[in-house]
């Protein structure tokens, strides 16, 4: 079978393309332009892969950092809904691992004249998973470790938690609701700057400060993709018991940030892809030079019976070969460089300024496929334009010149 494949004659277009690819080595200027075109495509592809790998690495690290502090699914219950009935209905949905009630609202913590605005998160049972470092611990008051360190707080110290919802005093004047609670512990606040500090406290205490009208259901489905898949079932389960309930996933809770990350990646791709566009112009120049230098030979081939379509396919194949070599070299170099830079942490950043200590590189298969597809497609378009010039040559005119 192998011998038959080797003995089978190659198509005319491939034979001619390979011949002209080898002949450029004897023509210094044509060889130079072909090398420039191939090298430009290789550099453009490698630059695209590395730039997208940097953005993907930072996005993945940032997304993991933020999503570890965001519920997988958060359900906003409408006013007057039976919260317990809604929780039971949600817990019975396929794919849901746990569902528990929460109360959220704004407030302050006060200690020794220091005041800090915070978001109060009242939970039931052990500390939720989106408080890393304290997840699964016994109920109590938990503060971010950064805030606890700044204020010099230790477990057991009593802290005042203040709610903006007032209570009428015996003489008729409104006074804020205050609860004095011992500090049970801290959770890892991370290096990303959150919009507002969060504190965790038992649900019954949170309801005494905020009331029970702002109840929510925090749902875990066992993963980010599983959370997105569970949304239709949750909406259907809520319809009979809590019509008007809003189901928000981790993607909805972080929508502005995720949109900004996608926009950044898209704009970077477009900007760096201009390198590939310039390289394809060099490819057009290289093919045009080969056509000009082989004009008489192309005319003879046409006089001997070579059709315009076969000549067009030959020069399109030649452009594809030059672009394919550059594409393969650039893709291999970009992927290997990204792996080495990420594996050995060769690009450090100040850990006290950023939430990472080195620049991460992550090559995603989808990004790599888009780079290869668009680059090769653009190279084929450029090759086709030049190949049609060769196909349009008049054999007699070409021979005379």
């Amino acid at each position: 079978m192998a011998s038959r494949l080797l003995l089978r004659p190659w198509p005319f277009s491939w034979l001619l393309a390979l011949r002209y690819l080898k002949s450029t080595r004897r023509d210094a200027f044509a060889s130079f332009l072909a090398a420039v075109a191939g090298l430009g495509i290789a550099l453009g592809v490698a630059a695209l892969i590395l730039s997208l790998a940097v953005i993907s690495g930072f996005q993945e690290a940032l997304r993991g950092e933020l999503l570890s502090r965001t519920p997988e699914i958060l359900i906003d219950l409408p006013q007057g809904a039976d919260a317990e009935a809604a929780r039971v209905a949600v817990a019975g949905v396929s794919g849901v691992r746990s569902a528990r009630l929460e109360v959220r609202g704004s407030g302050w913590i006060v200690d020794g004249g220091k005041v800090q605005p915070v978001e109060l998160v009242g939970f039931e049972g052990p500390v939720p998973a989106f408080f890393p470092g304290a997840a699964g611990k016994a109920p109590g008051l938990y503060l971010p470790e950064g805030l606890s360190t700044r204020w010099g707080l230790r477990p057991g110290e009593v802290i005042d938690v203040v709610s903006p919802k007032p209570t009428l005093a015996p003489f008729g004047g409104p006074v804020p609701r205050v609860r004095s609670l011992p500090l049970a512990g801290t959770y890892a606040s991370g290096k990303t700057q959150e919009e507002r500090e969060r504190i965790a406290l038992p649900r019954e205490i949170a309801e005494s400060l905020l009331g029970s009208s702002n109840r929510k259901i925090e749902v875990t489905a066992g993963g980010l993709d599983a959370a997105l898949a569970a949304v239709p079932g949750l909406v259907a389960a809520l319809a009979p018991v809590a019509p008007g309930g809003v189901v928000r996933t981790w993607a909805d809770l972080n929508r502005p940030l995720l949109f900004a990350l996608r926009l950044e990646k898209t704009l970077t791709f477009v900007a760096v892809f201009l390198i590939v566009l310039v390289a394809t112009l060099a490819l057009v120049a290289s093919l045009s030079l080969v056509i000009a230098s082989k004009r008489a030979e192309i005319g003879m081939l046409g006089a001997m019976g070579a059709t315009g379509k076969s000549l067009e396919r030959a020069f399109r194949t030649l452009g594809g070969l030059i672009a394919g070599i550059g594409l393969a070299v650039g893709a291999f170099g970009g992927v290997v460089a990204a792996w080495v830079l990420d594996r050995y942490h060769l690009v450090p950043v100040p850990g006290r300024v950023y939430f990472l200590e080195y620049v991460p590189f992550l090559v995603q298969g989808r990004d790599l496929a888009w780079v290869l597809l668009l680059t090769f497609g653009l190279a084929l378009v450029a090759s086709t334009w030049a190949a049609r010039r060769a196909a349009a040559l008049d054999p007699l005119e070409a021979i005379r010149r």
Side-chain angles (χ1 to χ4, degrees):
M1 179 65 70
S3 61
R4 280 191 223 168
L5 291 175
L6 291 174
L7 294 175
R8 182 177 297 175
W10 284 42
F12 170 75
S13 58
W14 275 91
L15 291 173
L16 188 61
L18 291 172
R19 182 178 183 280
Y20 284 162
L21 182 64
K22 294 177 181 178
S23 67
T24 57
R25 299 176 186 175
R26 295 190 294 269
D27 189 335
F29 193 60
S31 177
F32 172 75
L33 281 182
V36 167
L39 182 60
I41 291 175
L43 291 177
V45 169
L48 262 177
I49 292 174
L50 285 175
S51 60
L52 293 179
V54 169
I55 295 178
S56 297
F58 272 115
Q59 288 181 354
E60 191 68 19
L62 180 60
R63 192 174 77 159
E65 176 77 10
L66 292 179
L67 295 183
S68 66
R69 291 161 173 77
T70 303
E72 292 182 9
I73 302 174
L74 192 64
I75 300 175
D76 298 324
L77 297 177
Q79 293 287 340
D82 187 340
E84 184 58 30
R87 188 195 67 80
V88 172
V90 166
V93 173
S94 175
V96 172
R97 294 189 176 182
S98 67
R100 52 182 175 179
L101 294 175
E102 285 186 2
V103 177
R104 291 178 176 241
S106 301
W108 299 270
I109 58 171
V110 181
D111 178 70
K114 299 185 290 292
V115 180
Q116 174 69 41
V118 294
E119 179 187 11
L120 309 180
V121 180
F123 60 92
E124 60 181 2
V127 180
F130 52 89
F131 288 96
K137 292 186 178 180
L141 174 63
Y142 291 86
L143 301 182
E145 58 185 12
L147 177 61
S148 177
T149 301
R150 290 197 307 269
W151 282 19
L153 301 175
R154 296 180 180 179
E157 295 188 27
V158 178
I159 301 171
D160 293 332
V161 182
V162 184
S163 167
K165 192 170 184 177
T167 300
L168 292 178
F171 297 101
V175 296
R177 298 182 183 183
V178 182
R179 291 293 300 268
S180 298
L181 303 173
L183 179 61
T186 61
Y187 69 90
S189 53
K191 295 183 180 181
T192 53
Q193 182 65 38
E194 297 188 28
E195 183 178 350
R196 185 171 48 179
E197 300 276 14
R198 296 176 297 129
I199 67 171
L201 65 165
R203 182 168 67 89
E204 59 273 12
I205 296 177
E207 289 184 348
S208 68
L209 291 167
L210 302 171
S212 59
S213 60
N214 195 24
R215 287 180 176 176
K216 304 177 187 292
I217 302 178
E218 185 254 323
V219 180
T220 58
L224 303 182
D225 294 334
L228 297 176
V231 171
L234 294 174
V235 173
L238 283 173
V241 294
V246 179
V247 180
R248 295 185 295 165
T249 64
W250 56 269
D252 300 319
L253 296 171
N254 296 279
R255 188 176 299 278
L257 173 64
L258 296 178
F259 173 77
L261 294 178
R262 287 195 300 269
L263 180 62
E264 177 189 19
K265 193 170 187 177
T266 302
L267 293 179
T268 301
F269 180 89
V270 172
V272 181
F273 193 72
L274 294 177
I275 300 175
V276 178
L277 180 60
V278 173
T280 57
L281 297 179
L283 179 61
V284 172
S286 175
L287 293 177
S288 299
L289 181 61
V290 172
I291 293 172
S293 62
K294 304 294 182 181
R295 189 181 185 91
E297 185 175 331
I298 295 172
M300 291 181 63
L301 290 172
M304 294 171 63
T307 64
K309 288 293 184 182
S310 61
L311 292 174
E312 181 179 341
R313 283 195 298 270
F315 281 94
R316 189 189 301 122
T317 303
L318 176 60
L321 288 173
I322 297 174
I325 294 172
L327 191 61
V329 172
F332 178 78
V335 171
V336 171
W339 182 85
V340 171
L341 291 171
D342 184 73
R343 175 67 176 80
Y344 297 102
H345 304 170
L346 298 181
V347 186
V349 294
R352 295 184 179 181
V353 178
Y354 301 96
F355 68 99
L356 294 171
E357 296 182 353
Y358 64 93
V359 175
F361 291 81
L362 175 63
V363 178
Q364 296 182 329
R366 181 177 57 184
D367 295 340
L368 183 60
W370 274 111
V371 169
L372 298 180
L373 181 64
L374 292 179
T375 302
F376 196 70
L378 184 59
L380 284 183
V381 170
S383 302
T384 300
W385 183 86
R388 286 179 178 174
R389 292 187 58 196
L393 289 176
D394 187 329
L396 295 179
E397 291 293 329
I399 294 173
R400 287 175 186 174
R401 295 185 183 182

